[in-house]
Amino acid sequence: MALWGGRFSEAGDQFFLKFNQSLSFDYKLFKSEIVASTAYAKELAKAGILNADEEARIVAALEGLGQKFNHDDMMTAIERGVEDVHSLVESELVKMVGDLGRKLHSGRSRNEQVATDLRIFLKEEIFNLKEAVTSLERQVIQQAEANLDAIMPGYTHLQRAQPIRWAHYLFSWIEGFERDKERLDDLMKRVDVMPLGSGAISGNVWGLDRERLRADLGFGAITRNSLDATSDRDFVVETMFCCSSVMLRLSRLAEDLILYTAKEFGFIELGDKVATGSSLMPQKKNPDSLELIRGKTGRVVGNLTALMMTVKGLPSCYNKDLQEDKEGLFDSLKQTLDCIQVMELVFGNMTPKPEVMLAACYQGYLNATELADYLVIKKLPFRHAHELVGKMVVFAIQQGKKLEDLSLAEFQSFFPDVENDVYTYLDVQKCVDRKTAVGGTAKSQVLAQLARYKKVLS
Amino acid sequence: MALWGGRFSEAGDQFFLKFNQSLSFDYKLFKSEIVASTAYAKELAKAGILNADEEARIVAALEGLGQKFNHDDMMTAIERGVEDVHSLVESELVKMVGDLGRKLHSGRSRNEQVATDLRIFLKEEIFNLKEAVTSLERQVIQQAEANLDAIMPGYTHLQRAQPIRWAHYLFSWIEGFERDKERLDDLMKRVDVMPLGSGAISGNVWGLDRERLRADLGFGAITRNSLDATSDRDFVVETMFCCSSVMLRLSRLAEDLILYTAKEFGFIELGDKVATGSSLMPQKKNPDSLELIRGKTGRVVGNLTALMMTVKGLPSCYNKDLQEDKEGLFDSLKQTLDCIQVMELVFGNMTPKPEVMLAACYQGYLNATELADYLVIKKLPFRHAHELVGKMVVFAIQQGKKLEDLSLAEFQSFFPDVENDVYTYLDVQKCVDRKTAVGGTAKSQVLAQLARYKKVLS
Amino acid sequence: MALWGGRFSEAGDQFFLKFNQSLSFDYKLFKSEIVASTAYAKELAKAGILNADEEARIVAALEGLGQKFNHDDMMTAIERGVEDVHSLVESELVKMVGDLGRKLHSGRSRNEQVATDLRIFLKEEIFNLKEAVTSLERQVIQQAEANLDAIMPGYTHLQRAQPIRWAHYLFSWIEGFERDKERLDDLMKRVDVMPLGSGAISGNVWGLDRERLRADLGFGAITRNSLDATSDRDFVVETMFCCSSVMLRLSRLAEDLILYTAKEFGFIELGDKVATGSSLMPQKKNPDSLELIRGKTGRVVGNLTALMMTVKGLPSCYNKDLQEDKEGLFDSLKQTLDCIQVMELVFGNMTPKPEVMLAACYQGYLNATELADYLVIKKLPFRHAHELVGKMVVFAIQQGKKLEDLSLAEFQSFFPDVENDVYTYLDVQKCVDRKTAVGGTAKSQVLAQLARYKKVLS
Amino acid sequence: MALWGGRFSEAGDQFFLKFNQSLSFDYKLFKSEIVASTAYAKELAKAGILNADEEARIVAALEGLGQKFNHDDMMTAIERGVEDVHSLVESELVKMVGDLGRKLHSGRSRNEQVATDLRIFLKEEIFNLKEAVTSLERQVIQQAEANLDAIMPGYTHLQRAQPIRWAHYLFSWIEGFERDKERLDDLMKRVDVMPLGSGAISGNVWGLDRERLRADLGFGAITRNSLDATSDRDFVVETMFCCSSVMLRLSRLAEDLILYTAKEFGFIELGDKVATGSSLMPQKKNPDSLELIRGKTGRVVGNLTALMMTVKGLPSCYNKDLQEDKEGLFDSLKQTLDCIQVMELVFGNMTPKPEVMLAACYQGYLNATELADYLVIKKLPFRHAHELVGKMVVFAIQQGKKLEDLSLAEFQSFFPDVENDVYTYLDVQKCVDRKTAVGGTAKSQVLAQLARYKKVLS
């Protein structure tokens, strides 16, 4: 049953109708559609379009439909060629209550239904995403807490830079995840707005009390312009952006962890539970979990690009192009949620190797900046100190020595004021714990951040 | 059955394994996998790894598998958690021929299998795309031929510019479709190259005769470097680009046709077979078919962007990220093919309105350029003529007249050398048929192009 | 003067150095760099690295530099091959105060400088964007207020749907612009966070009081993890997303206005000030302003895609890839600001044609939904009413009549309960003013929204 | 001087005119514009619009203009607000030859001029890109030839997989570059087509002999439909795709080389000429050259996405949106060319460390596949062999041994048929040279490919 036969004298082409249908994916909005239709029926009753008995019968039928209609029923409906989830619910309703069901659509358009359903659906999805991020954060923090004294090389340009705490490294991701959650909160403000009661384009003709309807549906606010209400997809685009933002972060974390599990780094070992092997090479243990997370980032950003391109240059108000908002959205939500959860699984199945991390801190002149700082204390302007230490590093490389292996005489040949205390100053542990300014890698700071996270996440 | 258990002491996490599997989409490569495995078995026999009897049994089993394994079997295999189509075929083979099946993978890797299967699959898909474009072209040409003398306003900046033939307008799309097909031909050269016999990364250890294998599989050439062979996805990216190119064209054609079916233009009427109605507004007849084509363009380009992002910065050789090449590719191919076919359907279900088109040519001063040309003949440098006609148009607008309605005196008040022949010169039909240079809108040219297309497309 | 010569024994290749430099675009951060360096010098003094005299001399020199260094000086510095704005300021400082200038970089890295400068710069740019949007909104509202009683056809699928007020149409854009501004406010929270005092990666070694530094620089908060502080580019990506969101809206508005200025619609006339002509066709007046806005949308979204791709899969902490964040960001900000301002110019230079709009409302059966509503009042279930009106429309088309031109007998042949009051019910003005639910197109609602906007925007 | 004043009664708004102008970037087409205008003048003469003397004076003036107009003149013209390069050339011509210059535009439109100029420009740029790729290939091959016997670990999933030749690794990139060049050749076919003689939209009114014009301009073919000729931007999109394809490859190569220069891998050392230091950390030597190449990939793909989005859904024929094709195109061409050349510089300034590469081959069980192959020779079906070797690897890891360090008794405890020849079979050099199938890493194959490349590139 199409919702629009009267004006047409010829049936739609079968291939076109299949191309045109959306039930094969918008069936995900089934529950939301039931909820929204129920509220609309109640409001129609208050507006006098339905009487109390009619209202009761429609509400009961919708409730029954929501309970009994199962996955197989849905697959059958898709095969039957039902156009969309809105047509489905209306036609099932008519099956159950007869002509009375044909009253429900009074003053209502599919344009506002799809907008309303999407928002109801998204409110739950956004909540789930946030919960999943929090759960991942807890797992990451647990890893950090288990190895609070592990020290690893910090990198810039993928070259060893300065020693840092493993926990400090892990906490850098928490900062980002907290921003992601903040962004989801901001998004929620714009999703939690009810469009129902806008008609197709010009507003509701039966003078519904939209604030009462809003309260009934549990929305935070109502839309204020019927044209905007029925065709705005900002909130879908922004949801896909928030997913992209999470994925970009996960892609960078995955890249790091792939490197750290590589033979060459060896900072962590991945558990068998989240790795796979090769069909040909018997020795392989591959970080597929992390590679897939990294790889799926393209897909989630691609979905965002897709919808932006679809929306670009579209005439205002509803155009069928907007039907293309759903598949990408659903996919982005699913991929992002899956990736967050797999990342949590990875953190629950990895073994850090603090001794390998620490050993790496002793190769690559990671305390060179500290040596320059030492010279600053000895009254050399920093830029000169930097230049001089650069030359010392070249000298040490040529000698095959670490900086702390240079003799005092060698140090003094570069700068006479160097004293014996230089050796203490260059100690890796000391280098790390000297960074006491807020946000630094000193133990004091790391403990402070840990305490903060525990409070925020509890 | 995973193809790689030996090195692992713990089973994979269920959620991860589901995240990791690809059978739910790479099952589309089932037929290709059978074909490639059969050829590989034959080649292993020639290399002495299998004897004649073993070869015969494997080949027969694969053939049987290809015939009997149906859609329900596949759904069951997906539910069982089989990792991918390669594992599926090997494990089914082992079920059929026992230990012998375990010999098939000698010297072979999934990396080269997936590359080979994808290419076999794509060769057919590219062929289908080309056929569909050709079929659409024929339908467009039929529309042109049916109204060879229809004249419509040509637009630039969506402002009426100059009169052109409807057929000439339609032919402008054929030019683009011909380029799309040329691009698909160029792509085919790069797809029609066989990677099989490259191992996981370093080459085949059994010294296979890859040229013989190529001939057996019907490829045009073989890859020349095993690392490149197993991880190159250029051809996938390029396929998705070619799809995007087709879709961009269709999006512009769809935009035009949506405009032309709008009440305001009214140049064509869309048949009921490819239009839909509104659930609320009984009078509506909406060009959903065309809007969806336009809307899906974002999706196909989004798939391209997605894979490009996935590939960007990936270490060389195979990484699991590349598993993400398939879903987007399959989707782009399907959407593009569907859209081409729906566009053909639209052309088969539209009615042009030549009288509306022609009427529009008389409003908007579309013969102003011709008037300037006339003045050039009367020896006025073009730039002066252009300036002068601009002023005449302003004058005509103020008078509420068309250019051809100005009196000779009025013309002469702008430029004294205008004579009575100006009225003939400004005639719409004459304007059109004066454009006789190759590619112009004159009837002679349109007929020439029509003859050419008929030859090319037959 | 490079900031890092000591460790190198050979000078950089000239072509590479040019490829590597960023001064040719990051010079835009010059003022921010001066501000941030001044604050850093003061804080170094408080930490005892500079004495009061040194602090005073550096602060004075930086102030002088900020005042005297002009555009030509900058062009010369770029030609001289200065690496970036940070090197420039430090080297100019050394020119002015000698060795003392070499002390400024103590404990500081360019990684945190660029992050700090960008944020200072962005805070101003975001403010400017918001102001520009508000200014555009005021212009749009002025257009609405000037024609509060103009009625136009509302469209869905680019087919005439229902009559709406021109002001209601214009207000639908205000709703979106308000969301854009809300998004910019949310973004600001994440931009207004100070990274300075994080070192290159591990934190500040001189134990700076970062809260004091924050207050001095006027930031709202400080970063809490040095690794995140120096390499986070979320805020840049989000800025580019907010720009994209504005542009997508403008692209749709531009599309509408291009249609409305087309001969076929004729709802508005564009002033000469924001249109251009054709070099060949003298009569043309093209909406280039609007087309460019629509066209530039791709560019701004492209910049977003670009940075997302650049960030994807990057190892954590600073990588030089991130230098690519600036050109796209600067371009997106400029294009978006320009487009907002040009759109304001367009609204200041257009003339609506209420009589053309109204005339269009009488063609296309825009009151068909109202007829169905009428039948609902006459106790026909809506879905039946919809079907019946569909048939009436077909009948009316065949008769070449409007709905309101059907005789009562004709109406009653479809549904006997139709009475004479149907003609009043179908009146366009009445149709519009019946939509009194919040957000509807009734005059009461439009006035309510107008009042609200005036309050919000004042 | 605008080319279109007559129809306008009010001057354009200054801000809009600046927004609208394109000379600030399309000045790059100046030379192409001179060439195309000269040819057009000659053809106008042949069509009788210019006499021989007029033709000679215009041709001479254009030639003079091409020679004398320098960079400063151009900057002045941009500041003066000249609209575009076409207006510039016409107005300069009028300055030189007076009213005669005003005849040049007879029958010509800017739409076809810009299409023609772009194609002339691109033909040279595509040629340059191809040359640069070839030059890079030669440098890569030189690196390979200098270390033909170097053996390194081949990776999949960034885990060591099998030993391969360094030269074989390098050659894998040549395969891709050859495809990139092939793609550029295919593109050239579609670029080398002349649109001139198409008018604004409907064709040329003076009946030009476009084939003669084509020959004069050195194009390979002419366009066949005037509408398509003036608004087709396929070739621009495809050029940007070809650039993206090159950049994606370079991004992966850059990623590899960044890894290989990291302390952890150490396979190559980067020369000082293509590295930079840190402003804070004196020991750092960063691969900025490679990071920038990787980072700029996003930008080039972003440019492609941008134009695709701009083109999507655009009405046919010229719209001003298309002006946005140029900046992105010019940027993509420049960035791609720069990156190719910097990559060549990197290859000219790197030192491979064969001893480090080889040492890495002995850690990570890279000969495990060979052990399985050995068992296949000993008549164990491959899948069983794979499983068994998996267990041997676990055993060896537990023993802290390499596979070749296991005793014969230990081997036999897994599979009794293992004999002493297993040790020879597992030798790294032997593993490599066993891959003799075409495209394998055996020396014979590497020499064969080297010979082929030398032939192809000479």
Side-chain angles (χ1 to χ4, degrees), chain A residues 155-156 160 264 284 386, chain D residues 155-156 160 264 278 284 386:
Chain A
Y155 293 80
T156 62
R160 290 178 190 164
E264 286 72 14
K284 292 299 293 294
H386 180 284
Chain D
Y155 294 80
T156 62
R160 290 178 190 163
E264 287 72 14
S278 156
K284 292 297 295 292
H386 181 281

Side-chain angles (χ1 to χ4, degrees), chain B residues 155-156 160 264 278 284 386, chain C residues 155-156 264 278 284 386:
Chain B
Y155 293 79
T156 63
R160 290 179 190 164
E264 286 73 13
S278 156
K284 292 296 294 293
H386 181 282
Chain C
Y155 293 80
T156 61
E264 286 73 13
S278 156
K284 292 298 294 292
H386 181 283

Side-chain angles (χ1 to χ4, degrees), chain D residues 334-355:
Chain D
K334 178 178 168 33
Q335 300 299 334
T336 307
L337 192 62
D338 279 3
C339 287
I340 297 169
Q341 290 174 343
V342 169
M343 188 56 95
E344 183 182 341
L345 212 53
V346 167
F347 271 92
N349 285 281
M350 66 158 69
T351 312
K353 303 284 176 188
E355 68 290 354

Side-chain angles (χ1 to χ4, degrees), chain D residues 104-116:
Chain D
L104 178 59
H105 207 64
S106 306
R108 190 176 69 163
S109 80
R110 280 186 294 184
N111 298 350
E112 60 182 330
Q113 279 177 278
V114 67
T116 305

Side-chain angles (χ1 to χ4, degrees), chain B residues 425-438:
Chain B
Y425 203 88
L426 292 180
D427 176 72
V428 164
Q429 184 76 43
K430 290 245 161 49
C431 291
V432 167
D433 284 333
R434 212 173 275 133
K435 307 296 165 50
T436 55
V438 178

